[in-house]
Amino acid sequence: MWLELVVLLGVLAGLLLLRVPVAIAMLGAGIITALTVVPGVRVSHLASIGAHEAMAFIFTVVPLFVLMGEVLRRTTVATDIFIAGERILRRVRGGMLHASIAGCAGFAAVSGSSPVTASTIGSMAIPQMLRNGYPPRLASGAVAAGGTLGILIPPSVGLIVFGVITETSVGDLFVAGIIPGLILTGLFMVTTVLVLPLYSKKKEKVHSATHEDESRSLNAETVPEVSDGEENLPSSARAYVSLLSVLALFGVVIGGIYQGVVTPTESAALGALGALVIAYTVGGVRSFRVVSNALKATVLTSGMFLLLLIAGLFVAYIVTIIGVPRELASFTADLEAPRWAIMIVIGLILIGLGMFLDPMSMIVIMAPVLLPTVVALGYDPVWFGIFFLIAVEIGMISPPVGFNLFVLKRVIPQLKFRDIVSGSAIYLPAFAGAMVLLLIFPEVALFMTGR
Amino acid sequence: GGETSGENPEIELSVAIFTPENDMFSENFRQWSEAVEEATEGRVTFEPHYAGSLVPQSGAYEAVEDGTADVVLVAAHALSNRFPEVAFLEGIGAFPPHVFDDYEPFYDEATEAFESVFADVELLTWGPSSQDWVFAHRTHHLVQPDDFSGQLVRTTGPVQGDQLTALGASPTTIDPADLYVSLQTGQVDGSITTPPLLVSLNVLEVAPYVTHVNAGANPIFWLANSDSWDQISQEDQEAAAEALREVGISTPEMFSELEQEAWEAIENDPGADVLTLDEEQMELLLTEIVPVVENEADNAAERSEAGAELAEIFSGESE
Amino acid sequence: MKSPRIAAVGSIKTVNALLIYLSSIAIVLMLVSILVSVIFRYVLSDPIPWANDFARISLSICIFSALAPALQHGAHVGLELAFDRLPKMINHGIKIVAWIATVVIICVWFYHSFLRMTAALEGSYSLPGLYLQVPSVPLYLFQTLCLLVFAMTALLLPWMKDSSEDTETSLQGA
Ligand code: NA
Ligand code: NA
């Protein structure tokens, strides 16, 4: 087993260092392992995966949920959620930070992706916060961390990929993500409250947005234009309408799964339809061009996800033949360590890998390897999905490879990368707290699923 | 790995099983693999991969053909796109009931015919996947054509699908993994399935109306890649073949015991509402669905010599 | 007269643009067929049997036609480390090795898909796992052609970078 595993991981690491795209590197590592050290493995299985497994019905949720997020990020909805949050929280100290976090959580309820959530909220909220004298570090950290909620609060492409690759119910995973997502949102806010005084002592200006001039700065001029410009409703009223429509869409999509009236695939289709309806009614979208751009982006993103899934299934097949998951499960069973200790080790491994690997690659590579061990320890696969995803979220804000960090630097070039990194680090204890909470009280993830 | 020829090399073969570890087909695997290991004094061993973790059932034949897996489990319905001769076996009522009374000669005769159909791979052993079938439905029992009319019912494959069409229902295929949610959400109204699957997938929670249809259908096959199998010495192959035959002959008995356990679980489930068809109801049902099987068997007979043999053996009129 | 390479880059770009349309259509068809089946079920309480199979075939078309365009537009994520600090020559060498590796890997996949297709051609059987009796050859042929375009795109990738539009999509992961 060890020789095969070393070859597989060695080739994978080599190709990744050469900057071959992750999915193609995985295919390459699988092909070379099959041709050299594992005589039982046939490369031809790759063609079978394309022919059979790539037609698995559950895969259809990927493009549909991606389409939903791609349509909504081209509307005014994200801006509106932030404005609504700011109006509600304006008297709270650091209100705009809380509004950013809440805005991320709100947008996460209709978007399946973390970087999309971070960039959509960040591109509008961070300039607002900077203009109001918030420290860049806190402003970017709150959005980078808040943005990671995109793959914990359903819908989530990460949970879909975990479900497909481990054959766990995607519906249950979605439902299980709700409470931990809300808890994490709360922990981000608590963290914000705790660190704010430190920044005030350093004499950095933190306003509470109560003055007239500050609320004026939230008018349509300063908010980056996402729509084609026409504002029929006063922005405050429209903000609340948008917020309500997003909550309604979340209710239909996730509530439908929770109530057992639609399958995940059907809810994804309803979500995409709902996103189009919102776009043309409250979302400020007037031209078909927006939709066709969203479709093009959906094609490219889905092409990326689905290639990763195919590569993941191929590597999972090889890893299974080699016997890694089985050996790992029996190895940990012989350890006689308490199961929470093993889970902490697994969590640390995932966080370590998350520094270098992108979230989807992490899931397709590690989930099938680790799942048998975790199940043998007596944990529920759905619970593990949520635990795994929180570790993945940390990876998205940890250098050197952190998508949320990159995306914020890109949408707001004047931010210093160092500030984004250290700002995000402020929120690391919140993630750790959520993981520990999950370990102590697995019900947090499971009770709504009825598992 | 193979050693010098003439000796009996030690071989480990990978086995792709689409059912979960606690399913009766998986139990069937453990029976014959232990028998083979014993017969070959541990030189031939098997490494099972349950729950489709190696290859899914739809790709199982291709996998064993090219050696992606050394051994696969595959049911008739999933082979019918490649071997139309075996398509009719998927249909409910394909096994004449009396063959189970004197199964040994029937097994030998059919084995020979199957071997000539699956000429490119090695047939290890096979069995009737179930002598009991059930229609599970969300809101009512499926008994007569009126009950089926307009219902969307999940089916195993195309021939059972045609049988449902003959009864007035609309058939659709759904992966067993999605069956629970599909029934829960009403994406399908009911399902054809077997008692053990009914239990292992918790189908009763969402489709409590169970109609019991006593008729065998849809045999399962254990197929091995020819090259992989030929790594085994001649002597061990013969020992293995004898062990496999012994298990094959007793498979219906073993399955029906496990089915009995499943039935007990179903009947003890307070939510379940079981209806066993009486003779008259059974007769009525069969007159609707057996012609579909007969029609498919005629097609098989026209297709090839092996098909003609199978059609005759399963008509229950062969000697 | 254009050089053959420029002509090849031009035609692959055109093909990929067409594939994006095709993939979009497949997504829309998937969306519509699932919505229609929901409507039939709840409004007309008459569920339609082919919706599942139809969506699955659309999905397969969507996936395979998206592969090459996603590569051209830089959507397939890779590890980004600080290679810029390396001497220019080494960096250039790394890029060439990575390029060759990518092309070879995709060609291996294409080759096996081609074998699968020719096998299907001989047997002329229908797609497994579907209730609809759909012949496997057209779909396998389509998949193989898409993989050919995927390989061609990888081969010509160094000459088709117009990176201005592409950077955004590469961050969509997760
Ligand atoms: Na989300
Ligand atoms: Na990272």
Side-chain angles (χ1 to χ4, degrees):
Chain A
M1 174 187 122
W2 293 109
L3 172 70
E4 292 93 329
L5 191 61
V6 166
V7 170
L8 182 74
L9 293 180
V11 175
L12 180 62
L15 289 171
L16 287 178
L17 287 173
L18 290 170
R19 283 183 287 183
V20 171
V22 179
I24 293 171
M26 288 169 73
L27 292 178
I31 289 168
I32 289 174
T33 311
L35 293 177
T36 54
V37 289
V38 194
V41 171
R42 297 297 190 280
V43 178
S44 59
H45 186 52
L46 192 47
S48 299
I49 291 174
H52 304 298
E53 298 185 53
M55 278 174 71
F57 190 59
I58 190 70
F59 274 44
T60 52
V61 296
V62 174
L64 295 177
F65 273 128
V66 170
L67 178 62
M68 174 177 166
E70 287 294 341
V71 169
L72 286 177
R73 71 191 291 234
R74 287 170 167 74
T75 66
T76 57
V77 161
T79 313
D80 292 340
I81 301 176
F82 176 74
I83 292 172
E86 201 276 334
R87 292 286 144 87
I88 294 165
L89 297 163
R90 57 173 26 181
R91 296 194 184 279
V92 179
R93 193 174 162 72
M96 282 185 146
L97 290 168
H98 295 297
S100 303
I101 293 167
C104 283
F107 195 70
V110 287
S111 156
S113 154
S114 288
V116 167
T117 304
S119 67
T120 311
I121 295 292
S123 62
M124 153 273 309
I126 293 177
Q128 287 294 335
M129 288 192 276
L130 298 183
R131 231 170 272 134
N132 284 283
Y134 282 77
R137 202 177 280 182
L138 277 183
S140 51
V143 174
T148 68
L149 293 168
I151 58 163
L152 186 60
I153 295 176
S156 154
V157 178
L159 288 172
I160 293 170
V161 171
F162 184 91
V164 169
I165 216 95
T166 62
E167 298 195 8
T168 307
S169 157
V170 171
D172 282 353
L173 285 165
F174 275 11
V175 172
I178 297 174
I179 301 288
L182 291 176
I183 288 176
L184 199 50
T185 310
L187 288 173
F188 290 156
M189 290 182 166
V190 170
T191 308
T192 306
V193 170
L194 291 177
V195 298
L196 260 177
L198 300 176
Y199 279 83
S200 311
K201 271 180 208 149
K202 286 182 197 161
K203 306 226 156 101
E204 286 185 85
K205 252 171 64 185
V206 181
H207 291 249
S208 55
T210 48
H211 306 298
E212 275 305 304
D213 59 324
E214 277 151 12
S215 53
R216 202 176 59 230
S217 71
L218 272 174
N219 67 21
E221 277 167 43
T222 49
V223 172
E225 288 200 344
V226 192
S227 68
D228 45 4
E230 283 186 40
E231 312 256 349
N232 298 327
L233 289 166
S235 110
S236 190
R238 197 190 67 188
Y240 291 123
V241 171
S242 273
L243 181 63
L244 287 178
S245 63
V246 162
L247 289 177
L249 186 59
F250 178 78
V252 169
V253 170
I254 305 304
I257 295 176
Y258 179 61
Q259 292 294 326
V261 289
V262 286
T263 64
T265 313
E266 292 170 341
S267 87
L270 289 174
L273 178 70
L276 288 169
V277 171
I278 289 178
Y280 277 100
T281 52
V282 294
V285 169
R286 294 291 171 269
S287 81
F288 177 72
R289 200 169 171 75
V290 175
V291 177
S292 76
N293 283 342
L295 262 174
K296 182 184 171 185
T298 303
V299 167
L300 298 180
T301 307
S302 306
M304 182 267 287
F305 278 136
L306 295 164
L307 180 63
L308 257 178
L309 272 174
I310 290 172
L313 289 169
F314 184 56
V315 169
Y317 155 72
I318 289 167
V319 165
T320 306
I321 284 267
I322 298 174
V324 177
R326 188 168 27 95
E327 292 287 327
L328 195 66
S330 67
F331 172 76
T332 46
D334 294 342
L335 274 182
E336 292 188 18
R339 65 176 197 163
W340 56 264
I342 294 171
M343 285 314 299
I344 286 176
V345 172
I346 288 176
L348 291 174
I349 291 172
L350 290 176
I351 292 168
L353 284 173
M355 292 175 67
F356 302 98
L357 277 177
D358 75 281
M360 292 309 127
S361 312
M362 248 175 91
I363 296 170
V364 294
I365 294 172
M366 294 308 292
V369 171
L370 293 174
L371 189 71
T373 301
V374 175
V375 170
L377 291 173
Y379 290 102
D380 191 287
V382 168
W383 174 88
F384 183 53
I386 303 302
F387 184 83
F388 197 122
L389 264 278
I390 297 178
V392 162
E393 286 184 83
I394 297 174
M396 282 187 291
I397 55 166
S398 64
V401 182
F403 277 13
N404 284 16
L405 309 174
F406 294 156
V407 85
L408 287 186
K409 175 67 187 160
R410 173 142 343 125
V411 294
I412 306 166
Q414 66 265 36
L415 284 175
K416 290 197 191 82
F417 193 67
R418 196 171 2 111
D419 280 344
I420 308 177
V421 173
S422 58
S424 306
I426 294 168
Y427 292 91
L428 284 178
F431 290 102
M435 288 177 86
V436 170
L437 198 68
L438 267 182
L439 270 178
I440 301 173
F441 305 107
E443 312 85 64
V444 165
L446 293 178
F447 90 97
M448 271 181 77
T449 66
R451 287 174 85 101
Chain B
E3 288 160 29
T4 51
S5 59
E7 287 178 34
N8 295 332
E10 288 188 5
I11 310 279
E12 188 187 76
L13 299 175
S14 61
V15 187
I17 304 171
F18 63 83
T19 49
E21 199 168 346
N22 61 2
D23 186 87
M24 70 177 190
F25 298 160
S26 306
E27 182 57 36
N28 186 217
F29 157 75
R30 287 185 288 272
Q31 285 200 340
W32 65 251
S33 64
E34 278 162 25
V36 170
E37 282 178 36
E38 199 174 312
T40 60
E41 289 161 340
R43 286 181 296 273
V44 181
T45 53
F46 300 90
E47 179 62 51
H49 301 282
Y50 297 107
S53 61
L54 205 54
V55 291
Q57 191 185 199
S58 64
Y61 186 78
E62 282 173 357
V64 75
E65 193 180 30
D66 72 10
T68 301
D70 295 320
V71 179
V72 297
L73 165 67
V74 61
H77 78 269
L79 284 167
S80 60
N81 73 319
R82 290 291 292 264
F83 302 100
E85 294 97 325
V86 302
F88 76 98
L89 296 171
E90 177 205 332
I92 290 178
F95 285 72
H98 65 81
V99 301
F100 296 111
D101 303 336
D102 187 15
Y103 190 68
E104 189 171 336
F106 173 78
Y107 178 85
D108 287 335
E109 215 177 345
T111 302
E112 207 174 303
F114 285 137
E115 276 170 348
S116 59
V117 174
F118 310 127
D120 296 334
V121 294
E122 196 74 30
L123 173 64
L124 301 187
T125 180
W126 64 279
S129 74
S130 189
Q131 286 139 265
D132 273 326
W133 285 77
V134 294
F135 298 137
H137 196 274
R138 302 170 73 220
T139 55
H140 61 260
H141 287 116
L142 296 171
V143 181
Q144 47 196 2
D146 269 357
D147 307 325
F148 285 90
S149 170
Q151 301 298 305
L152 188 59
V153 180
R154 180 259 179 187
T155 156
T156 320
V159 176
Q160 288 188 5
D162 290 346
Q163 292 185 309
L164 285 169
T165 310
L167 289 163
S170 299
T172 186
T173 47
I174 288 179
D175 196 84
D178 300 330
L179 183 57
Y180 183 93
V181 178
S182 303
L183 283 165
Q184 184 189 32
T185 59
Q187 194 188 25
V188 296
D189 302 306
S191 175
I192 294 189
T193 184
T194 59
L197 215 55
L198 204 62
V199 174
S200 64
L201 296 176
N202 300 322
V203 169
L204 290 172
E205 288 174 18
V206 284
Y209 293 90
V210 176
T211 309
H212 179 184
V213 183
N214 191 342
N218 205 19
I220 52 149
F221 303 94
W222 296 95
L223 305 174
N225 176 270
S226 298
D227 293 337
S228 307
W229 195 249
D230 285 343
Q231 291 178 301
I232 302 171
S233 71
Q234 201 58 41
E235 189 188 328
D236 280 349
Q237 278 193 30
E238 279 162 22
E242 189 48 42
L244 286 163
R245 180 176 172 273
E246 288 297 319
V247 174
I249 289 165
S250 65
T251 296
E253 200 180 325
M254 190 274 275
F255 280 1
S256 88
E257 271 168 38
L258 291 174
E259 272 169 18
Q260 204 48 49
E261 281 171 33
W263 270 119
E264 275 162 34
I266 293 168
E267 271 155 9
N268 289 333
D269 189 316
D273 188 342
V274 182
L275 178 79
T276 301
L277 296 183
D278 62 31
E279 239 166 77
E280 197 182 332
Q281 288 168 319
M282 190 71 198
E283 190 67 43
L284 243 141
L285 190 73
L286 289 178
T287 51
E288 297 286 340
I289 62 175
V290 165
V292 175
V293 176
E294 288 171 348
N295 187 32
E296 281 293 329
D298 290 346
N299 291 342
E302 278 168 28
R303 217 173 287 270
S304 70
E305 212 170 294
E309 252 172 80
L310 282 176
E312 196 191 326
I313 296 166
F314 278 85
S315 71
E317 282 148 25
S318 124
E319 253 323 293
Chain C
M1 223 6 225
K2 282 192 284 184
S3 84
R5 198 188 67 211
I6 292 174
V9 168
S11 12
I12 284 293
K13 279 187 171 177
T14 311
V15 170
N16 283 346
L18 288 174
L19 285 176
I20 289 181
Y21 278 113
L22 187 60
S23 192
S24 306
I25 291 170
I27 291 174
V28 171
L29 287 178
M30 209 155 74
L31 176 63
V32 170
S33 72
I34 294 169
L35 287 176
V36 165
S37 78
V38 174
I39 292 168
F40 267 65
R41 179 166 99 225
Y42 279 117
V43 183
L44 308 174
S45 46
D46 182 20
I48 40 176
W50 47 263
N52 248 5
D53 288 359
F54 185 83
R56 288 173 60 183
I57 293 169
S58 303
L59 173 76
S60 184
I61 291 170
C62 158
I63 295 178
F64 278 85
S65 49
L67 290 176
L71 184 66
Q72 184 195 325
H73 293 273
H76 295 302
V77 290
L79 208 59
E80 297 198 20
L81 293 175
F83 270 114
D84 303 337
R85 285 184 209 143
L86 291 171
K88 218 175 177 184
M89 281 294 287
I90 296 179
N91 213 358
H92 198 64
I94 285 176
K95 276 186 183 159
I96 291 175
V97 177
W99 170 58
I100 294 172
T102 305
V103 174
V104 170
I105 291 164
I106 297 172
C107 282
V108 171
W109 189 7
F110 162 74
Y111 170 71
H112 283 283
S113 175
F114 180 78
L115 291 184
R116 176 69 27 110
M117 184 197 78
T118 47
L121 214 52
E122 280 168 23
S124 71
Y125 46 84
S126 56
L127 284 173
L130 297 185
Y131 175 67
L132 295 179
Q133 298 280 302
V134 183
S136 59
V137 172
L139 194 67
Y140 288 4
L141 179 67
F142 177 75
Q143 294 181 345
T144 308
L145 285 176
C146 284
L147 288 172
L148 181 63
V149 178
F150 194 25
M152 295 291 291
T153 306
L155 186 68
L156 297 170
L157 198 59
W159 297 279
M160 53 202 310
K161 280 279 178 208
D162 34 13
S163 55
S164 56
E165 51 161 334
D166 294 342
T167 36
E168 201 200 352
T169 46
S170 68
L171 282 170
Q172 304 273 320

